[in-house]
Amino acid sequence: MAVQDKELTEAERQLLAAMQEGFLPVARPFKEVAERLGSTESDVIAELRRLKEEGAIRRLGAIIDSRKIGYTGTLCAMKVPGERIPEVAEVINSFPEITHNYVREYEYNVWFTILAPSVDRINDILAAIKNKTGIPELINLSARRIFKIRVKFDLEGAAKP
Amino acid sequence: MTEVEERLILELGENFPIEPRPFAVIGERLGITEDEVIARVKDFMDKGIVRRLSVALRHQNVGFTANAMIVWKVPPERLDEVGNKLASFPEVTHCYERETTRDWPYNLYVVVHRPYREECLAIAARLSEAVGVADYRVLFSTAELKRSNPQYFIERGEDDAV
């Protein structure tokens, strides 16, 4: 599985690809990764720390299936006048439960995802956003059924079986 | 979930120690042994609570700058058929049925990760033909306003405004 980040050396790419395959819940997980790469545990640890500090690694650790711990999420969209996007974005982003927020090209132009412990919490947040921004056009497009979620991520963009 | 389990989920996600014996370090933080931490992590993995111990990369385009969301208006009686068919295409990374509203009638969502618009548009046209649904829109994300890791077990202080 190729890691596409152009600023990475081949060795870094291989380390990150191995890490993407996953590391094990064993006493010395990075030793196991090092063995896979023919490297040493200390080199792997030093590299991972550097790559994390430099931001090439956004996050290292467990990938949690939030639904399994009772969390629920949704996708929302708002109609925001262009000049108000920064201000409205600030209100939206003030909630830690908002995980993604982005602009799309349509009347509904500000889209965001929420991950929260309960539907009530989501509704509280949406009510607060509406009244703080004074914008009522906010729609909650919660998922009714999931046909597909990418399980294994392949950086070429094609889903893995 | 017990308090220890909640705290373990936080430790496994947020500041996972990049150390020779990370689970021993986590054990110290939680006041349990390394073996117990490892056993609990395995249990979480068996239950699917932890999908994988891995990394999320900077350029991993789970972000929304390089993706297109294709939204479809599918007659309800055809949702099953169309949803499953769209999900079968390798280019499609996510496929959901979602709620609709009066002025947003699109009930099926497909996400495609391709860096270039033309490619996304071409894929959308091909998918449309394959499932025989002509009423769709391709929405590109043009700016990312926030992307953060999930925040689990946030302590709600009394003074929270909401």
Side-chain angles (χ1 to χ4, degrees):
Chain A
M1 166 162 47
V3 171
Q4 275 184 330
D5 189 330
K6 301 184 207 38
E7 295 111 35
L8 293 174
T9 66
E10 190 43 36
E12 288 167 341
R13 261 204 283 275
Q14 277 175 15
L15 169 59
L16 294 177
M19 287 292 286
Q20 278 220 296
E21 287 294 319
F23 59 92
L24 301 175
V26 293
R28 304 177 79 111
F30 303 122
K31 184 163 180 288
E32 189 275 330
V33 172
E35 277 154 11
R36 264 190 264 162
L37 294 166
S39 172
T40 68
E41 182 185 46
S42 50
D43 284 352
V44 163
I45 287 175
E47 279 286 288
L48 290 176
R49 282 185 185 154
R50 190 176 52 75
L51 289 166
K52 185 135 196 308
E53 219 162 81
E54 285 170 6
I57 292 176
R58 204 160 36 89
R59 208 164 155 277
L60 185 149
I63 295 177
I64 308 288
D65 182 340
S66 52
R67 288 185 314 278
K68 292 272 173 41
I69 50 171
Y71 270 62
T72 181
T74 191
L75 173 68
C76 298
M78 283 180 87
K79 284 183 187 173
V80 180
E83 68 286 357
R84 290 197 60 198
I85 288 180
E87 163 219 338
V88 170
E90 223 179 295
V91 170
I92 294 170
N93 295 349
S94 67
F95 296 95
E97 293 90 342
I98 308 294
T99 47
H100 288 166
N101 184 7
Y102 47 93
V103 180
R104 284 197 189 273
E105 300 165 346
Y106 190 62
E107 270 158 64
Y108 280 107
N109 51 357
V110 172
W111 294 68
F112 55 92
T113 55
I114 305 180
L115 185 66
S118 67
V119 173
D120 294 344
R121 178 68 189 135
I122 288 178
N123 294 333
D124 288 348
I125 292 171
L126 298 185
I129 291 173
K130 279 186 202 171
N131 93 57
K132 279 185 181 167
T133 60
I135 297 176
E137 295 95 348
L138 187 163
I139 51 179
N140 180 354
L141 304 166
S142 45
R144 291 166 61 102
R145 194 173 7 162
I146 298 169
F147 287 97
K148 186 178 203 175
I149 288 185
R150 186 203 302 267
V151 176
K152 198 103 184 15
F153 197 85
D154 163 355
L155 289 165
E156 268 76 42
K160 286 218 155 172
Chain B
M1 294 189 82
T2 66
E3 216 231 315
V4 170
E5 282 174 334
E6 282 189 4
R7 287 180 60 205
L8 178 55
I9 290 275
L10 276 178
E11 293 295 340
L12 288 173
E14 282 329 303
N15 35 37
F16 189 91
I18 305 176
E19 307 271 354
R21 303 180 75 121
F23 300 109
V25 172
I26 291 176
E28 267 156 43
R29 293 177 187 164
L30 301 182
I32 54 178
T33 66
E34 179 186 43
D35 291 341
E36 199 180 337
V37 171
I38 290 174
R40 283 178 184 274
V41 172
K42 282 181 178 159
D43 179 50
F44 277 161
M45 293 178 94
D46 294 343
K47 289 181 181 145
I49 292 171
V50 170
R51 280 202 194 137
R52 218 165 55 254
L53 297 172
S54 185
V55 283
L57 304 185
R58 168 178 58 207
H59 282 295
Q60 194 169 354
N61 51 16
V62 286
F64 288 82
T65 42
N67 84 357
M69 188 160 74
I70 308 167
V71 292
W72 309 76
K73 194 167 159 224
V74 181
E77 66 281 3
R78 291 198 60 209
L79 260 175
D80 256 1
E81 169 221 341
V82 173
N84 286 310
K85 188 131 178 51
L86 288 175
S88 69
F89 284 84
E91 305 90 318
V92 168
T93 57
H94 304 274
C95 184
Y96 290 84
E97 177 196 353
R98 289 188 179 278
E99 300 290 345
T100 58
T101 67
R102 232 184 337 60
D103 64 351
W104 186 258
Y106 303 101
N107 50 4
L108 200 62
Y109 288 60
V110 152
V111 174
V112 169
H113 283 286
R114 278 295 182 286
Y116 304 107
R117 277 175 189 258
E118 301 70 31
E119 232 181 315
C120 294
L121 293 169
I123 289 170
R126 201 152 37 80
L127 293 177
S128 166
E129 217 176 283
V131 293
V133 174
D135 196 342
Y136 70 91
R137 296 186 62 84
V138 184
L139 301 183
F140 292 102
S141 58
T142 52
E144 193 172 76
L145 303 170
K146 176 178 183 179
R147 172 141 67 100
S148 72
N149 298 323
Q151 304 287 309
Y152 294 119
F153 313 117
I154 305 149
E155 276 68 52
R156 282 273 136 232
E158 282 68 44
D159 55 6
D160 278 291
V162 170

